[in-house]
């Protein structure tokens, strides 16, 4: 598969309307076409798709808990081209958890998602580089296919 970059865009309750809306809305993770600079914030973006929320719970971030683990599972499964998070063993509450993927998911929660605010954007290339460093630090040589050949770093020109 040819490498395709994208931007993961997390939106938590209240952040779409500035927090004034009384109605509860579930957190969402959109997958967008990547844009550099203020374009994403000023002119809008192209939404490619939305990551599916787990059936038995919602997404979360900015803390470490079940919602954060669910978000980490779907982001990592998407970025690493693993398919369905529950079937590949990285999903939160998956019946067939893979120990390496579970540790990857939980460390992604601690290192990245627990640090985020209500609304954020994170490039797929950043997720992949974080995951590669995680595997290398643990001396794990069997890498998911998406980590075997990373794309070149992009710069604004």
């Amino acid at each position: 598969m040819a490498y395709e970059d994208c931007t993961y865009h997390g939106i938590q309750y209240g952040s779409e309307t500035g927090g004034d809306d009384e109605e509860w809305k579930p957190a969402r993770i959109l997958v967008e076409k990547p844009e550099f600079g203020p374009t994403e914030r000023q002119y809008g973006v192209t939404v490619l798709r939305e990551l599916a929320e787990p059936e038995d719970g919602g997404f979360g971030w900015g803390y470490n808990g079940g919602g954060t683990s669910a978000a980490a599972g779907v982001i990592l499964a998407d970025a690493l081209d693993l398919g369905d998070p529950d079937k590949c063993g990285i999903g939160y509450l998956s019946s067939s958890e893979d120990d390496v993927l579970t540790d990857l998911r939980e460390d992604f929660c601690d290192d990245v998602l627990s640090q985020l605010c209500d609304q954020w954007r994170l490039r797929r290339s950043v997720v992949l580089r974080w995951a590669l460093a995680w595997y290398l630090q643990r001396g794990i040589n069997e890498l998911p296919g998406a980590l075997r050949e990373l794309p070149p770093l992009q710069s604004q020109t």
Side-chain angles (χ1 to χ4, degrees), residues 38-155:
T39 304
E40 292 173 297
R41 292 175 293 280
Q42 291 178 350
Y43 304 111
V45 295
T46 302
V47 176
L48 303 173
R49 64 188 183 281
E50 184 168 346
L51 297 181
E53 199 174 288
E55 291 180 19
D56 47 0
F59 294 137
W61 46 81
Y63 68 97
N64 198 354
T68 311
S69 290
V74 298
I75 292 168
L76 288 167
D78 189 81
L80 296 170
D81 296 323
L82 299 175
D84 182 284
D86 291 327
K87 290 180 183 173
C88 73
I90 200 170
Y92 182 65
L93 303 178
S94 174
S95 61
S96 61
E97 284 190 343
D98 175 290
D99 289 340
V100 171
L101 292 177
T102 300
D103 290 346
L104 175 72
R105 180 192 70 218
E106 292 308 309
D107 285 346
F108 188 71
C109 289
D110 289 342
D111 288 352
V112 181
L113 295 184
S114 67
Q115 308 303 310
L116 299 176
C117 56
D118 287 349
Q119 190 168 175
W120 50 268
R121 284 189 168 87
L122 190 62
R123 282 280 175 86
R124 177 177 184 242
S125 56
V126 171
V127 174
L128 292 176
R129 283 179 167 75
W130 180 92
L132 178 60
W134 184 91
Y135 274 89
L136 295 175
Q137 286 177 339
R138 283 151 190 79
I140 301 171
N141 297 323
E142 191 172 326
L143 300 174
L147 298 180
R148 291 189 192 120
E149 188 173 334
L150 294 180
L153 292 172
Q154 297 177 351
S155 63

